[in-house]
Amino acid sequence: NYPNIPILNIELGGCIYETGDLIREYLDPDVHFHLHGSPPCTNITRVNPKADKVEGMRLVNWFFDLVEYLNPDSWSMENVVGIGKYLHALDQVGLKWLTINSANYGVAQTRRRVFAGSGWNDPRYTHNDNEWVSMKDALNLDPSWHLDSGRGNSATCGINPRTGKQEGGRGKLYRSVDKPSYTITSSSLSLVDDEKNKMRTFTIEEVIILMGLPSSYQIPSTMTKTTAMKVLGNMVSPPVIKAIIEAIE
């Protein structure tokens, strides 16, 4: 999709100086340098009952050290909402953080993520809450269908599935395709009919659109659907990072 952009395969958590010096080789001193990082959220998310919070924050702190070493003109870091309570305890000069919902930037999913950083103002919404793009409009779906949250009998983020209100509760949860999708992850979500019978899962082409990528975006033909879902489900929605870049001071 972008053949002229260099791609470096670097293992997170290694030597800060080696990583930083490798990045510096590609910097132009006359161009604004914005550094972005998205440390793995597996050991931070509340959805993972076996999460190792110490290991999760080790990589977050590693990225903060990289920021300090490289001293970029501006920087941002993205992670799951659960990281907010850890950021409260950090003493980082100039650190700001806020929770951003991708749906407020024209992405057809309610993907809520924390963005921390400095050198940029709060990004402006492109879509207010009453202007969110629905799955039906983004993907031309049957309006009678619903999306299965895939949570089974696990906690539904404080929402009671019986009432739809944020008052706790457990059990299956569904959402009309007249609304944006639940957060896209590495697992495929299922579309169901009015009687909650499974119709099918999202296709890769549909996930590409739900992540905010152009429909023309290409996934290598040799990549399996499982791998493609991991790549797409762990990325930052492009319209969101675009809004942050546009908000640089």
Side-chain angles (χ1 to χ4, degrees):
N1 296 281
Y2 306 99
N4 296 323
I5 296 179
I7 298 175
L8 306 178
N9 188 0
I10 303 173
E11 183 176 354
L12 292 177
C15 176
I16 290 292
Y17 308 113
E18 290 181 2
T19 302
D21 291 344
L22 185 58
I23 292 174
R24 279 195 173 124
E25 292 181 14
Y26 293 86
L27 300 181
D28 183 339
D30 297 323
V31 176
H32 184 102
F33 171 33
H34 181 88
L35 179 67
H36 176 82
S38 294
C41 65
T42 307
N43 282 314
I44 298 175
T45 178
R46 60 189 174 186
V47 177
N48 180 10
K50 299 181 180 179
D52 183 345
K53 301 298 192 297
V54 173
E55 173 61 15
M57 286 306 297
R58 182 184 71 82
L59 293 175
V60 170
N61 287 318
W62 179 88
F63 177 72
F64 286 151
D65 289 341
L66 183 63
V67 170
E68 183 176 2
Y69 179 63
L70 285 173
N71 190 29
D73 298 308
S74 59
W75 65 275
S76 55
M77 183 196 74
E78 173 261 2
N79 217 290
V80 291
V81 174
I83 199 175
K85 62 182 179 181
Y86 299 103
L87 296 180
H88 269 306
L90 295 176
D91 182 18
Q92 293 282 336
V93 177
L95 175 67
K96 63 175 290 178
W97 65 274
L98 68 161
T99 301
I100 293 178
N101 190 334
S102 296
N104 288 122
Y105 298 90
V107 180
Q109 64 165 306
T110 51
R111 187 184 192 88
R112 296 174 68 248
R113 291 291 185 266
V114 162
F115 283 78
S118 67
W120 45 277
N121 299 309
D122 290 359
R124 293 184 177 182
Y125 288 175
T126 61
H127 293 65
N128 293 319
D129 292 3
N130 62 347
E131 300 173 321
W132 286 356
V133 179
S134 70
M135 292 177 277
K136 181 186 71 175
D137 291 339
L139 305 177
N140 193 28
L141 297 175
D142 186 321
S144 68
W145 286 5
H146 291 72
L147 183 65
D148 187 342
S149 67
R151 293 184 179 274
N153 194 40
S154 60
T156 53
C157 295
I159 298 175
N160 187 334
R162 294 177 178 274
T163 65
K165 296 180 180 179
Q166 197 163 0
E167 56 187 15
R170 302 176 71 87
K172 279 187 170 296
L173 193 64
Y174 301 91
R175 180 179 289 179
S176 167
V177 294
D178 283 328
K179 298 180 179 179
S181 168
Y182 292 111
T183 298
I184 299 296
T185 65
S186 58
S187 301
S188 297
L189 295 175
S190 297
L191 292 159
V192 300
D193 62 16
D194 270 340
E195 298 181 353
K196 306 303 184 287
N197 297 310
K198 180 177 177 180
M199 304 301 291
R200 62 177 178 82
T201 59
F202 283 135
T203 66
I204 290 299
E205 291 74 20
E206 289 173 329
V207 172
I208 285 173
I209 294 173
L210 292 176
M211 286 304 302
L213 289 161
S215 58
S216 59
Y217 191 84
Q218 298 292 313
I219 293 293
S221 58
T222 55
M223 185 178 290
T224 66
K225 182 176 182 179
T226 298
T227 301
M229 284 301 300
K230 287 182 178 179
V231 171
L232 294 168
N234 285 295
M235 71 179 294
V236 179
S237 297
V240 175
I241 199 65
K242 178 176 182 288
I244 288 177
I245 295 300
E246 291 176 344
I248 289 175
E249 299 171 348

